[in-house]
Amino acid sequence: MAEGSEMSRSMPSETLFAAVMDEAPGAMDRLLEAWLPVVVAWCGRFGGPKVNREDAAHDVLIVVLKNWRRVESPAKFRPWLFSVVRNVTSRHRGWAWIRRWVPGEAPPDVADPYSTLRPEYSDTARWVWEVLDTLPAKQREVVVLCDLEGWTREEVAALLKISSGTVKGRLRLGREKFRRLAHTRGYSPGAAEVG
Amino acid sequence: MDNRHDESTPLDVDFGWELEQLRAETQARAAEVAAVKLRLRQTEQRPAGAGRWALWPVGVGGLVAAAAALWLALLPAPEPVPQQLDLVSSQWTSEQVHQDVQLQFEGRGQLDAVGKSHDIEWREGRLKVSVTPKQDIQLDVRTPEAVVSVVGTVFEVHRDLTGTTVSVERGQVAVRCGDAPAAPLVPSDGSAFCETTSPEGRAALARARRESGDLDGALAISAKGLSVAAPGSYAAAELHWNRALAFTAQEDWPAALSSAEALLSTDQASFATDGRHAAALAGRMASGCAAAEGHLRWLAEAGSASPTELAHLADCQAASDPAGARRWLESALAGTTEPGLAAQLQQRLDQLER
């Protein structure tokens, strides 16, 4: 499992969190230093290819800096951060949708939503991301968490504050739709690897 | 569709390599993390997404504004946050308390505002209010004796001890004095005055009326003040004092005596001597020595009696206590520098000798 995914499932240490709550010098910087890579990755994965994840991550941090006192304990930090990311990326997806209809020269990330992908992986990543991006938000969320980040159903249920059964249902529908869309669009598992 | 898997089979069973590519691709890059950190340091207070719109054509702004207006119209209005502000200044000060409400003031009061609703409690001094018309601003200025309501105008409220004066520079206000119905006030009306309702204010107003020669007005205001003043209070004493002086000026001696005795019954030390002077004069004029002698004796024994009052006291005692009367006349003679009065006093002394 990738380093960022492991980090995203952890929580800030009691000591660091207590230091942040006490507004100790440098504590917030250390917390953000640790969680910023997670925020950037989440913004990309939940925002999809049309969202500029640097912009989204920046907006997430602004929300965090304004509202971090609402977090009551280290255990609640990760679900809270995730909810912030979800709200911000949802808003950015809305902007991206609006920008599609605006006349004139579009910014690079609107003209080519996949421009932020690394060139060497773009062919494969593009179609996986494109298919993920067409899933309904709630299904995409659990598919990304479980199948891309490797979370268990129980972990996702705790993070999203929903039941494990709901996670299971959304996951089933999301996977089913992913496979159907991939098939419809002519993507074959392993084709990119071979090609 | 691949039928080798049921619907709950993880995607990485058949799309493992593809997902791994995406996973690797969407890891945060060091350059991205550094860029976000740098932006955060530079623009921590920047509104979300604001910069990205800056270079877009003007049409984008219009479209977004229209979309935002539609969105806002469909959203339930956010709960306005109550705001409280002390308005205290010894100098003419300007304060923009809302984009459509400007206050200028010198004095003290307090503003309570919720959204477009503003309630100002003005206690003392001058307050000028400017409200942009037709912006649905609701604004009331309350003083103890008046409520001034406005929708869109420029007006001024001046409150002192005697009451509240309202004048309108532009537009129209509704002025309600106490429990009376609200009356409109426009610039051509000049100013409206709401008389104070506090006992202290009425005492000040009564004094002002008396000193200007409006004795009936002073008596009426004093009576109103006494109806709300606490018995024995300083304000009650001052109101009785005003009435005693007004009745004295009208030469209504029984009423003056009654007011002076009411003043003395308040036991306010600062009015003790003045009350005795008023009661002695009114008592002597109303009922002669029977009513005046006690007050004259109090003044004489306190060393506060004038030579005339000592002479009156001597007159009252001449029959019953000639020696005492002689003593008061000698004191009066010693205390006067007026030759005419001195001659009269000496004549009375001579009569007593005989």
Side-chain angles (χ1 to χ4, degrees), chain B residues 118-256:
Chain B
H118 296 71
D119 203 344
I120 298 171
E121 186 165 337
W122 191 244
R123 301 191 188 95
E124 183 184 16
R126 281 172 66 209
L127 168 70
K128 184 173 181 178
V129 181
S130 305
V131 177
T132 309
K134 298 176 183 172
Q135 296 300 320
D136 294 332
I137 297 292
Q138 295 171 350
L139 189 145
D140 283 353
V141 178
R142 297 172 192 277
T143 65
E145 51 275 334
V147 179
V148 188
S149 302
V150 63
V151 176
T153 189
V154 179
F155 68 101
E156 188 169 324
V157 176
H158 182 200
R159 179 163 197 271
D160 59 21
L161 206 54
T162 63
T164 299
T165 307
V166 184
S167 56
V168 179
E169 190 176 306
R170 191 180 69 229
Q172 177 176 326
V173 297
V175 182
R176 194 171 76 233
C177 292
D179 297 330
L185 185 70
V186 295
S188 59
D189 291 340
S191 60
F193 178 69
C194 293
E195 194 178 286
T196 180
T197 53
S198 71
E200 294 80 8
R202 283 182 167 155
L205 192 58
R207 184 172 60 244
R209 292 283 174 87
R210 179 176 53 75
E211 287 172 355
S212 70
D214 179 7
L215 299 177
D216 289 334
L219 288 168
I221 291 166
S222 299
K224 278 188 195 172
L226 284 169
S227 68
V228 291
S233 65
Y234 185 90
E238 196 173 1
L239 288 161
H240 285 304
W241 172 237
N242 271 302
R243 284 172 67 76
L245 291 185
F247 284 129
T248 299
Q250 290 179 335
E251 297 186 0
D252 183 348
W253 303 114

Side-chain angles (χ1 to χ4, degrees), chain B residues 302-336:
Chain B
S304 301
S306 67
T308 307
E309 286 169 329
L310 289 171
H312 290 159
L313 180 58
D315 287 348
C316 291
Q317 288 191 347
S320 60
D321 181 10
R326 181 183 177 80
R327 198 166 60 248
W328 295 128
L329 281 173
E330 287 170 347
S331 295
L333 192 57
T336 185

